[in-house]
Amino acid sequence: MESISPNIFVSDMKATVSFYRILGFEITMSVPETGDDLVWVMMSNGKVTLMFQTFESLADDLPEINRTDGGSLLLYINLTNIQSFFEGIKDKVTVLKGLEKTFYGATEFSILDNNNYVLTFAEHE
């Protein structure tokens, strides 16, 4: 195995792309390649890649995919310069848990994305 790129199902692709741009992510691929009616998007920031897909795009192929917003998922993202990153986004997102040093030595904070997924950002020193 070499990597993992979660494919996260969303209800509003435009809002999702806008939210993740606040976090510094950029679109690297999409379906369709151009236009406003995107059904699948790959976004990256550094070595972190996330994919987002509409429920409707797989409704016929995988009807088992269903959930309430947010589901039972927390994305744990390692980064450097966490203080600077936090200061740059804290007033633009919903912060669930502010910067704190954990018992295992990481500095972390958690936010809620526009689809009610929890994102925890961490810097390990």
Side-chain angles (χ1 to χ4, degrees), residues 53-68:
Q53 187 160 359
T54 62
F55 287 104
E56 297 79 20
S57 66
L58 282 179
D60 292 336
D61 292 336
L62 293 171
E64 299 81 10
I65 296 174
N66 59 38
R67 65 162 177 81
T68 59

Side-chain angles (χ1 to χ4, degrees), residues 2 14 16 19 23-24 26 34 40 53 59 66 84 104 106 112 115 121-122:
E2 294 182 8
K14 285 181 187 178
T16 299
F19 180 87
L23 304 180
E26 291 298 328
T34 60
W40 178 87
Q53 187 160 359
N66 59 38
S84 175
Y104 44 90
L112 193 65
N115 297 290
F121 295 91

Side-chain angles (χ1 to χ4, degrees), residues 8-109:
I8 301 165
F9 290 91
V10 301
S11 299
D12 186 336
M13 187 65 76
K14 285 181 187 178
T16 299
V17 168
S18 293
F19 180 87
Y20 280 84
R21 282 193 168 135
I22 291 170
L23 304 180
F25 283 80
E26 291 298 328
I27 295 175
T28 55
M29 295 175 67
S30 67
V31 174
E33 289 184 30
T34 60
D36 290 331
D37 296 324
L38 302 174
V39 297
W40 178 87
V41 172
M42 178 184 287
M43 298 185 81
S44 297
N45 183 343
K47 294 181 181 179
V48 175
T49 299
L50 301 174
M51 297 182 290
F52 302 99
Q53 187 160 359
T54 62
F55 287 104
E56 297 79 20
S57 66
L58 282 179
D60 292 336
D61 292 336
L62 293 171
E64 299 81 10
I65 296 174
N66 59 38
R67 65 162 177 81
T68 59
D69 279 354
S72 297
L73 177 70
L74 181 149
L75 297 174
Y76 191 85
I77 302 169
N78 289 303
L79 68 136
T80 56
N81 301 316
I82 195 167
Q83 180 74 42
S84 175
F85 183 72
F86 179 74
E87 292 299 325
I89 69 166
K90 70 178 182 175
D91 297 326
K92 301 173 187 173
V93 301
T94 301
V95 175
L96 299 176
K97 193 173 185 184
L99 275 174
E100 67 175 28
K101 188 81 162 183
T102 66
F103 71 90
Y104 44 90
T107 301
E108 299 179 348
F109 72 93

